[in-house]
Amino acid sequence: MTVMSIARFERFFRAAAGLNVDKNDLKRYSDFVDAKLYDLLTVAQATAKANGRDIIRTCDLPITKGLQESIHHFQKIDQEVELRPILEQLATHPALDRTPDEETEAAYPDIVGGLSVALAQSFKILHPDLKNPQTQHWDEARAVFDLLL
């Protein structure tokens, strides 16, 4: 990731939850994004299959009300931070039995952005005074998301 990308990443987490992250957190963040997008797509794939379709549509993704609100929050923050181009590179999907349609793939950056907002805010919910997440904090937040997604 370029220095400019790291700066945007840092600015995003400050805007989303007042957190200071650094380039060392990028690996944890990237792993989180990959895992959660995969989890969402796994459920979407099962939904598409149950509906007799060979493609995954956006409506197959299990987007909750909270995640939808986080996506809207991300879209507002992104007007300032311009993280979307970076998320387009990060938001790739693994090989699946069902292929996502173009609309679904186009939604990935916003979905990953929404997951990112929810992640940042979860740090503050779990530790209200937290300023700089450490490995323990990342592990706790990941465990909560693993439980719910």
Side-chain angles (χ1 to χ4, degrees):
M1 192 173 273
T2 67
V3 173
M4 179 63 104
S5 299
I6 294 169
R8 286 184 187 175
F9 169 74
E10 292 170 343
R11 216 168 59 225
F12 169 78
F13 271 85
R14 274 193 303 276
L19 295 171
N20 296 319
V21 295
D22 56 35
K23 66 180 180 178
N24 296 324
D25 292 313
L26 284 176
K27 173 74 171 128
R28 291 184 196 111
Y29 172 72
S30 180
D31 290 348
F32 171 83
V33 166
D34 288 344
K36 295 302 109 195
L37 184 59
Y38 178 77
D39 291 347
L40 291 172
L41 287 169
T42 300
V43 173
Q45 179 175 260
T47 301
K49 183 177 182 178
N51 288 315
R53 283 187 273 101
D54 290 335
I55 61 166
I56 296 172
R57 294 187 181 147
T58 307
C59 63
D60 295 325
L61 292 163
I63 305 294
T64 62
K65 177 183 176 277
L67 181 52
Q68 187 64 50
E69 290 172 359
S70 293
I71 289 169
H72 292 306
H73 191 154
F74 164 73
Q75 290 167 336
K76 290 176 186 172
I77 292 172
D78 192 48
Q79 291 174 2
E80 253 181 66
V81 179
E82 297 178 2
L83 194 63
R84 187 176 174 77
I86 298 164
L87 295 183
E88 287 173 351
Q89 294 171 4
L90 284 176
T92 59
H93 69 82
L96 302 165
D97 291 341
R98 303 284 188 269
T99 304
D101 64 13
E102 287 181 25
E103 179 183 327
T104 302
E105 287 184 337
Y108 290 174
D110 284 337
I111 293 167
V112 169
L115 287 168
S116 302
V117 168
L119 171 66
Q121 291 178 346
S122 72
F123 285 130
K124 292 303 250 186
I125 290 168
L126 295 169
H127 301 279
D129 297 328
L130 185 67
K131 294 294 181 199
N132 187 359
Q134 302 298 310
T135 302
Q136 165 199 348
H137 305 116
W138 283 92
D139 291 346
E140 290 172 359
R142 176 92 181 245
V144 170
F145 278 82
D146 286 347
L147 181 67
L148 298 174
L149 290 180

